[in-house]
Amino acid sequence: MGTLKADLKLISEEGIRTDGRKPNQLRPIRMEVGVLKNADGSAYVEYGNTKIIAAVYGPRDPGTKHILLPNRAAIRCRYHMAPFSTHDRKSPAPTRREIELSKVIREALEPAVIVESFPRTVIDIFIEVINADGGTRTAGVTAAALALADAGIPMRDLVAGVAVGKVQGVLVLDENELEDMYGEADMPVAMMPTLREITLLQLNGVLTEEEFYKALEMAIEGINQIYRMQKEALKKKYLESVEVE
């Protein structure tokens, strides 16, 4: 988190953010399922200017035995930021942060997938950040869960994610990049909404106990809105498929 310039105000006197949102308001969100012909399942998700594509392959035989688990499918996840996704061109090689987020996202999705149904197989998840403007890990979780569902992989529930930040003393839902860079705290959260089970919760920065519980409440409210959009995106694809047939 950077040092805020003295003349840069992220929250106006009226309590409005730089992109015109109220503190508890999500960015415009768009979702589409089945966007890649060659993947078993895929999804495209936008949180404002953050744009993500997720692809899923499997369950399948990976062709190598050393990663197979005798009683369940192994999930592999790769989170990657495209070189053109950031202000300065990023190296195509995976960074330490990308490797860490690949693990974090996999662990956020694993509780939802009924891996016991597919022993000795592998499910591969690829998450590509096309444009980064804050919240890429939570948008990545949301996109990957949709892609898993699109692949027909049995799940206990979808997983949806969103971050809550603290900016100039105000808790804000679904931070953009500016708020993420100059805010005082960032708390990404992902959960299975129907089961009310949190699968990801991280905190960078400092919140008081009261702020933490308020931030969690805001995140759950945001996730419930995103969850409704996920279900609509899935319904839309399959209703359209039925109409074509």
Side-chain angles (χ1 to χ4, degrees):
M1 290 176 182
T3 304
L4 187 64
K5 295 175 186 173
D7 58 346
L8 180 58
K9 277 202 160 193
L10 298 178
I11 303 285
S12 72
E13 300 291 336
E14 295 75 29
I16 302 299
R17 299 154 72 178
T18 52
D19 54 12
R21 287 183 291 155
K22 296 175 183 174
N24 63 349
Q25 196 172 352
L26 293 167
R27 288 177 283 182
I29 291 179
R30 182 185 159 212
M31 299 179 188
E32 189 175 346
V33 175
V35 293
L36 299 175
K37 180 179 72 171
N38 294 326
D40 293 331
S42 60
Y44 173 76
V45 167
E46 284 182 5
Y47 283 19
N49 289 319
T50 289
K51 302 177 182 182
I52 309 261
I53 282 186
V56 166
Y57 295 85
R60 61 180 179 175
D61 180 351
T64 177
K65 292 184 178 177
H66 73 279
I67 59 171
L68 293 178
L69 301 172
N71 57 346
R72 48 163 285 189
I75 296 181
R76 299 188 293 195
C77 179
R78 191 195 77 153
Y79 162 98
H80 179 253
M81 299 183 79
F84 49 81
S85 66
T86 54
H87 293 294
D88 299 321
R89 181 185 178 277
K90 177 198 156 291
S91 165
T95 63
R96 193 169 169 179
R97 179 174 182 270
E98 288 171 307
I99 294 168
E100 179 198 337
L101 289 185
S102 297
K103 177 176 181 293
V104 165
I105 293 172
R106 175 177 57 77
E107 291 176 347
L109 294 165
E110 248 174 357
V113 181
I114 304 177
V115 289
E116 312 86 80
S117 299
F118 306 98
R120 304 185 66 78
T121 63
V122 168
I123 298 170
D124 285 310
I125 303 168
F126 297 92
I127 297 167
E128 192 75 15
V129 180
I130 299 170
N131 198 68
D133 188 36
T136 59
R137 91 188 64 181
T138 48
V141 168
T142 300
L146 277 175
L148 284 163
D150 184 45
I153 293 173
M155 299 171 72
R156 295 178 175 86
D157 196 1
L158 289 168
V159 184
V162 76
V164 175
K166 183 179 174 185
V167 175
Q168 295 179 326
V170 178
L171 294 175
V172 296
L173 180 64
D174 189 18
E175 308 135 89
N176 59 33
E177 186 177 35
L178 201 59
E179 294 167 338
D180 192 17
M181 284 174 63
Y182 297 113
E184 296 122 75
D186 173 40
M187 190 173 87
V189 180
M191 67 182 292
M192 295 187 280
T194 300
L195 300 178
R196 294 188 63 77
E197 184 177 329
I198 290 172
T199 61
L200 163 68
L201 198 159
Q202 296 180 301
L203 175 59
N204 182 20
V206 178
L207 297 175
T208 65
E209 183 176 347
E210 184 182 350
E211 287 171 338
F212 172 80
Y213 285 110
K214 175 65 180 170
L216 189 57
E217 187 183 318
M218 288 172 69
I220 292 172
E221 175 55 36
I223 284 170
N224 283 330
Q225 292 179 51
I226 293 165
Y227 182 55
R228 288 193 285 273
M229 295 179 211
Q230 284 179 307
K231 290 194 290 186
E232 286 304 313
L234 286 166
K235 276 183 198 171
K236 185 179 176 187
K237 181 195 170 181
Y238 290 101
L239 286 175
E240 283 177 357
S241 300
V242 170
E243 285 172 8
V244 168
E245 287 171 3

